[in-house]
Amino acid sequence: MSVIYHRVALIGLGLIAGSMAHAMRRAGLAGEIVGTARSAETRKIAAEIGLCDRVVETAAEAVAGADLVVLAVPVGAMGAVAEEISPHLKPGATLTDVGSVKRAVIDAVAPHIPEGVHFIPAHPLAGTEHSGPRAGFAELFDNRWCLLVPVEGTDPAATARLRALWEGMGANVEEMDADHHDLVLAVTSHAPHLIAYTMVGVADDLGRVTDSEVIKYSAAGFRDFTRIAASDPTMWRDVFLNNKEATLEILGRFTEELFALQRAIRTGDGEMLHDYFTRTRAIRRGIIEAGQDTEAPDFGRVKERR
Ligand code: NAP
């Protein structure tokens, strides 16, 4: 594949930016990758492992002369970073972000975009519970979705170029409106994370089951909650603070369903429980058929252990 952006600046060097650097290199999509992070420690590690072609100290330095600037910091930090880099952006450059929430990021970043710079928010639907400059890998986006959320009046050629970059990194790309994005993600990602955090918290608080029992017998479902609940605390705090409305709407519905299931258990309504679980099993089948997860038992871990 050929170079899509002559120079790419990555602001923040964690899981997502690191994976982008690896994936861009894999396909030769960037002429040069320049990166920066808030802490000297992260910049040092990134330089040591050769994550970017150049690691620089400030975001202003990183964006100078860049054709594509990627904000890959927690959602709550996007506005301040945009303000800092705004006077240094090259005319005609594209500014994008990878934040898990879109409306709040647009509200925080858009006021700082200078005339002649294309702002195209994005969100790759791929991740792991790991973070930091060593967490990234080239395959993270392969066959995963990346949603582009262009604001009104965006130049279609600039959007097409960003789409080509994500496709070159292995992703399938779709465009979506910001509010719809936030609702979809509240259902598919944000509320499930909160539920996992809660379940792990409950197990931790429950004095009648010892910590060693929880760990020892966790294969019975709990283990998958612990993986999700190990996700980065700063990132997830910011997600909930910035996607309040949609998350609260979904959690409200979740609570209603939970009460209905609770009542079915109390009243011995086996038919209700069976019907409900039959419906949810079909959703799992749909995810596998769409190629978004493995059909292997226990997510393929059975094979791994052999
Ligand atoms: P990460 O591994 O924790 O890395 C975050 C980076 O942002 C680090 O380089 C960190 O610098 C920097 N940073 C943190 N707070 C900052 C601040 N206040 N100002 C400036 N820089 C700051 O995070 P990530 O998983 O790559 O997530 C980055 C973005 O991608 C987030 O907006 C997240 O919502 C989104 N996202 C995440 C996932 C996922 O599953 N992880 C999936 C899709 C999208 P230091 O290391 O120097 O602290």
Side-chain angles (χ1 to χ4, degrees):
M1 216 171 275
S2 54
V3 168
I4 295 176
Y5 293 99
H6 178 60
R7 184 181 294 170
V8 175
L10 301 173
I11 314 296
L13 291 171
L15 170 72
I16 300 298
S19 297
M20 289 182 73
H22 291 297
M24 285 189 282
R25 279 195 176 150
R26 180 181 67 176
L29 305 172
E32 186 190 24
I33 302 171
V34 184
T36 192
R38 176 181 55 167
S39 70
E41 175 66 10
T42 298
R43 295 196 299 269
K44 183 167 161 265
I45 296 170
E48 265 169 26
I49 63 174
L51 193 60
C52 310
D53 300 312
R54 268 193 302 135
V55 176
V56 296
E57 292 212 353
T58 65
E61 231 179 302
V63 306
D67 307 289
L68 176 70
V69 175
V70 183
L71 304 182
V73 298
V75 165
M78 299 273 185
V81 175
E83 188 176 5
E84 185 190 339
I85 61 172
S86 154
H88 309 279
L89 292 167
K90 174 175 144 177
T94 291
L95 174 70
T96 188
D97 75 289
V98 293
S100 307
V101 176
K102 294 277 61 98
R103 175 58 62 199
V105 169
I106 293 171
D107 289 349
V109 171
H112 303 293
I113 307 298
E115 192 73 27
V117 169
H118 309 286
F119 174 42
I120 311 174
H123 180 201
L125 308 189
T128 74
E129 66 279 26
H130 300 295
S131 50
R134 294 185 201 276
F137 54 99
E139 300 77 23
L140 180 66
F141 310 115
D142 284 350
N143 201 29
R144 297 282 170 245
W145 287 101
C146 179
L147 301 176
L148 299 187
V149 183
V151 290
E152 228 183 79
T154 305
D155 175 17
T159 308
R161 205 166 160 202
L162 187 62
R163 170 187 279 267
L165 180 84
W166 277 106
E167 287 174 348
M169 290 191 290
N172 306 313
V173 177
E174 244 173 41
E175 289 182 28
M176 201 179 266
D177 154 82
D179 293 322
H180 191 63
H181 166 280
D182 289 356
L183 183 62
V184 169
L185 266 292
V187 178
T188 56
S189 171
H190 306 168
H193 269 80
L194 200 77
I195 292 159
Y197 281 123
T198 315
M199 198 54 231
V200 175
V202 166
D204 190 40
D205 289 343
L206 199 70
R208 276 172 296 155
V209 180
T210 65
D211 284 353
S212 63
E213 279 176 313
V214 169
I215 293 162
K216 188 168 161 192
Y217 303 122
S218 70
F222 185 69
R223 185 176 56 187
D224 296 316
F225 281 112
T226 62
R227 187 190 67 73
I228 298 174
S231 300
D232 189 71
T234 307
M235 170 190 154
W236 283 96
R237 176 202 62 196
D238 282 7
V239 166
F240 293 116
L241 295 182
N242 288 281
N243 195 16
K244 242 183 220 176
E245 258 175 56
T247 312
L248 290 177
E249 182 188 335
I250 301 304
L251 287 173
R253 288 179 190 220
F254 174 82
T255 315
E256 284 173 20
E257 298 276 306
L258 193 63
F259 278 137
L261 289 170
Q262 211 173 322
R263 197 167 72 201
I265 295 170
R266 195 192 330 279
T267 60
D269 188 349
E271 198 181 325
M272 189 277 189
L273 294 173
H274 192 271
D275 287 352
Y276 202 97
F277 302 156
T278 304
R279 187 156 63 89
T280 55
R281 187 179 225 188
I283 292 172
R284 171 75 190 159
R285 178 109 320 265
I287 291 171
I288 291 163
E289 278 166 13
Q292 295 297 306
D293 205 355
T294 173
E295 193 169 19
D298 197 18
F299 306 105
R301 284 186 288 229
V302 176
K303 202 167 118 233
E304 271 171 32
R305 263 184 257 123
R306 271 190 204 133

